[in-house]
Amino acid sequence: MPSDRWMWDATSTLEALGAADVALWVWEPERDRMRLTGSTRALGLGPLAPDCSSAALRALTLPQDRAYAEDILRVQEPGTEVAVRLRMRGAGISIWRGVWLEEGVRAAGVVAPETRFAASDQDMLTGLLDRRSFVIRAREQLAMPGHYEVIVADLDRLRRLNEALGHERADLVLAALGSRLAAAFPAEAILARIGEDEFAAMVLAGASPGAGTLRRAL
């Protein structure tokens, strides 16, 4: 499984299934049929329910996200996970999660608002994106026009800090660093904790001092 894809998380999926704004989907490529049940209207999928074709799904997806819709529709080997972030016409961002079944002839899963899965996208200590989510967001941003800077830096002597202060106090330091980074960069910057002591930022070129901003925040 590539590192830049969401992993199938059973806990968050079960929590999502208990919500009122979740739908189940089954994709059968040989029949060119997507079946949808659940809160399709709340997710902006009402025009597609209960059955639709691949062309209908593409048409409802915003043009800039249609390449991601193909990640749902493309036939894969059994056991291959599906994890896609889509924006639909007249609706917010939704997350499609599932898995390919039966020799790659059928895939099934859940679709829910992005907020239902938000916790799995974030580093719990800092509130920044985790490594996997950073890669996904960076890929999406690079598909847009413009030039971008990616800055990576590490926090010196974090292990010594853990030994001197204890893990609980060191965790407070990391939480404070997350807040400092969020305050130092523009709101549209993509910020993440990508390792135990590593942080990354992706910004529009020239939008901020870049590496200097990250260094001062750390």
Side-chain angles (χ1 to χ4, degrees), residues 73-134:
L73 302 172
R74 187 182 304 111
V75 175
Q76 304 282 354
E77 293 295 320
T80 302
E81 294 172 354
V82 176
V84 176
R85 182 173 177 262
L86 286 184
R87 288 167 290 183
M88 316 299 287
R89 296 183 186 277
I93 300 171
S94 58
I95 303 297
W96 294 64
R97 284 181 167 174
V99 65
W100 277 92
L101 309 166
E102 299 177 18
E103 300 300 324
V105 300
R106 183 172 64 167
V110 298
V111 54
E114 185 179 40
T115 52
R116 289 289 173 191
F117 295 107
S120 63
D121 297 340
Q122 292 181 333
D123 173 67
M124 294 182 63
L125 285 177
T126 63
L128 305 177
L129 294 176
D130 60 20
R131 182 187 185 92
R132 184 165 55 245
S133 300
F134 177 77

Side-chain angles (χ1 to χ4, degrees), residues 24-215:
L24 303 179
W25 59 269
V26 177
W27 167 234
E28 299 170 296
E30 292 183 354
R31 298 183 179 183
D32 191 30
R33 182 175 71 173
M34 172 75 76
R35 288 184 288 154
L36 293 156
T37 58
S39 299
T40 54
R41 189 179 300 275
L43 291 162
L45 303 175
L48 303 180
D51 299 317
C52 73
S53 65
S54 57
L57 178 65
R58 293 186 187 99
L60 195 65
T61 303
L62 291 183
Q64 57 267 43
D65 281 6
R66 284 176 187 161
Y68 304 123
E70 295 301 324
D71 288 340
I72 300 172
L73 302 172
R74 187 182 304 111
V75 175
Q76 304 282 354
E77 293 295 320
T80 302
E81 294 172 354
V82 176
V84 176
R85 182 173 177 262
L86 286 184
R87 288 167 290 183
M88 316 299 287
R89 296 183 186 277
I93 300 171
S94 58
I95 303 297
W96 294 64
R97 284 181 167 174
V99 65
W100 277 92
L101 309 166
E102 299 177 18
E103 300 300 324
V105 300
R106 183 172 64 167
V110 298
V111 54
E114 185 179 40
T115 52
R116 289 289 173 191
F117 295 107
S120 63
D121 297 340
Q122 292 181 333
D123 173 67
M124 294 182 63
L125 285 177
T126 63
L128 305 177
L129 294 176
D130 60 20
R131 182 187 185 92
R132 184 165 55 245
S133 300
F134 177 77
V135 172
I136 292 170
R137 298 290 179 86
R139 173 186 287 179
E140 292 176 352
Q141 199 66 36
L142 289 172
M144 305 293 181
H147 299 281
Y148 300 90
E149 296 178 355
V150 176
I151 310 108
V152 178
D154 58 40
L155 182 64
D156 291 336
R157 297 184 290 277
L158 178 61
R159 183 171 297 178
R160 291 185 184 179
L161 193 65
N162 277 325
E163 293 172 353
L165 300 179
H167 287 288
E168 290 185 2
R169 291 187 179 181
D171 286 350
L172 292 176
V173 172
L174 288 171
L177 282 174
S179 298
R180 290 188 65 176
L181 285 173
F185 281 89
E188 62 272 15
I190 302 173
L191 306 173
R193 182 188 180 199
I194 59 173
E196 182 181 4
D197 60 353
E198 292 180 308
F199 295 82
M202 182 175 180
V203 295
L204 191 65
S208 74
T213 300
L214 183 58
R215 189 182 304 112

